[in-house]
Structures are given as C-alpha cells and as structure tokens.
Amino acid sequence: NHTRLENAILNENLHLALSVSPQRHHLLDYIGLYQEQCYLYASKTHSVFPMDDEDITDAVLSNHIFSTRTFGIEELPNTGTFFESSNAEAHLAYIKSGLALGILPEHVAQPYCATGILRPIRPNQIHPKWDVNLVFKCTKQKQRLIKYTIKTICDLYNLQLFM
C-alpha cells in the first residue's frame, strides 16, 4: 500500500519524493532522512481536552473517532472508527474541528498547542515515530540532476549513500 507520491515515481511523473509510508515498494529506493515524533492530540472543543491524562483510559478513548494515517492505527486503542488520510493538513483540520482525536507530527501541532487550540493526550504512552524517507526509482543510470539532488540531501542529513 504505497502512496500517490510513490505511484507517481513508478509512473515517471516524479523523480524524487519524501514519503512516510512504512511499506516499501520493491522497485523503489528509500533513504531514511529523519523520524517525525508524533503524538495523539485533542482540540479544545473535544470532550477529552479538559480531562487529566490519568483519566483518559483506553476504554474512554475507544468511544471516540480517530484521525490518523493508515499505519498509525496500531498505536491507538482498539476502536472501530477512523478517518484515514496521508494528508497531515486534513488530519489537522479534522482534529481542530473537535470531531476526532488524532495523531500528528509534533512540528505540525506545536503552533496550535502554543495557542491552546490543541493539546497532546497521554504523551508518555502514545507517541509513535514515523520514518521520513527520500524515495526514488531504482535504475542503473540515474539522471545526473537526480543523483546530485540525492547526494545533496544525504550530505545535508549526514547520511552515507552508495550509488
């Protein structure tokens, strides 16, 4: 189950992409760049927002709708109601509306936490890390610009690359 970005690379509509998909396609190369620290968040209009984290049990959470990427589901208590998308902005809008709790990268939620619109829920217990990868098509002869771009990104992140 790869992303639209990965499909665009396979169809040669893109040369490079950044992807958070945990499943890898066998025709693509993946270079890990960094990990996104994520947390479960609630909007100030959601019913769990004012609760103490100690009172927010899995049983309480299981009565709510969650917004997450498909691969974030295993981090959440067993519930049957999810909004799934690979778009962080869609999750952010849904969570801010108060209709759902959701997992977001810390850097996406931080400005809204600073203004009191969002808060992390049980941050010591629910805090997945998602790998961000540079993705490109496996070929023997990579175009010169693509090779240079990949090398530049790897240098920026102090990564070893064998091409």
Side-chain angles (χ1 to χ4, degrees), residues 84-134:
E84 299 172 21
S85 171
S86 61
N87 186 315
E89 287 79 17
H91 292 294
L92 178 61
Y94 200 43
I95 296 162
K96 283 174 41 183
S97 75
L99 296 173
L101 300 167
I103 292 180
L104 289 171
E106 185 176 29
H107 69 90
V108 172
Q110 192 282 327
Y112 303 98
C113 290
T115 58
I117 295 170
L118 297 179
R119 85 164 182 92
I121 302 298
R122 292 174 35 189
N124 295 328
Q125 297 171 356
I126 303 173
H127 49 83
K129 290 183 180 177
W130 293 338
D131 294 327
V132 177
N133 297 292
L134 177 66

Side-chain angles (χ1 to χ4, degrees), residues 8-129:
I9 294 170
L10 290 167
N11 296 329
E12 298 184 4
N13 294 321
L14 288 177
H15 296 293
L16 300 166
L18 295 178
S19 174
V20 199
S21 177
Q23 298 174 349
R24 297 178 176 216
H25 193 284
H26 69 282
L27 295 176
L28 297 175
D29 281 326
Y30 296 77
I31 299 172
L33 298 178
Y34 61 91
Q35 286 189 321
E36 286 187 322
Q37 179 63 62
C38 303
Y39 295 97
L40 179 64
Y41 291 94
S43 166
K44 67 180 179 180
T45 60
H46 196 281
S47 62
V48 302
F49 187 89
M51 295 175 68
D52 291 331
D53 279 340
E54 299 78 32
D55 297 330
I56 305 172
T57 64
D58 284 356
V60 169
L61 291 177
S62 68
N63 294 317
H64 296 281
I65 297 171
F66 290 92
S67 178
T68 187
R69 291 180 167 141
T70 303
F71 54 87
I73 290 173
E74 64 275 1
E75 300 290 338
L76 298 171
N78 189 15
T79 80
T81 311
F82 292 97
F83 167 76
E84 299 172 21
S85 171
S86 61
N87 186 315
E89 287 79 17
H91 292 294
L92 178 61
Y94 200 43
I95 296 162
K96 283 174 41 183
S97 75
L99 296 173
L101 300 167
I103 292 180
L104 289 171
E106 185 176 29
H107 69 90
V108 172
Q110 192 282 327
Y112 303 98
C113 290
T115 58
I117 295 170
L118 297 179
R119 85 164 182 92
I121 302 298
R122 292 174 35 189
N124 295 328
Q125 297 171 356
I126 303 173
H127 49 83
K129 290 183 180 177

Side-chain angles (χ1 to χ4, degrees), residues 29-32 134 136-140 142 147 150-152 154-155 158-163:
D29 281 326
Y30 296 77
I31 299 172
L134 177 66
F136 52 98
K137 193 169 186 177
C138 302
T139 61
K140 297 252 188 234
K142 292 185 176 58
K147 192 173 185 176
I150 292 169
K151 182 186 177 323
T152 302
C154 288
D155 288 349
N158 296 316
L159 299 170
Q160 297 266 330
L161 179 63
F162 304 99
M163 296 180 94

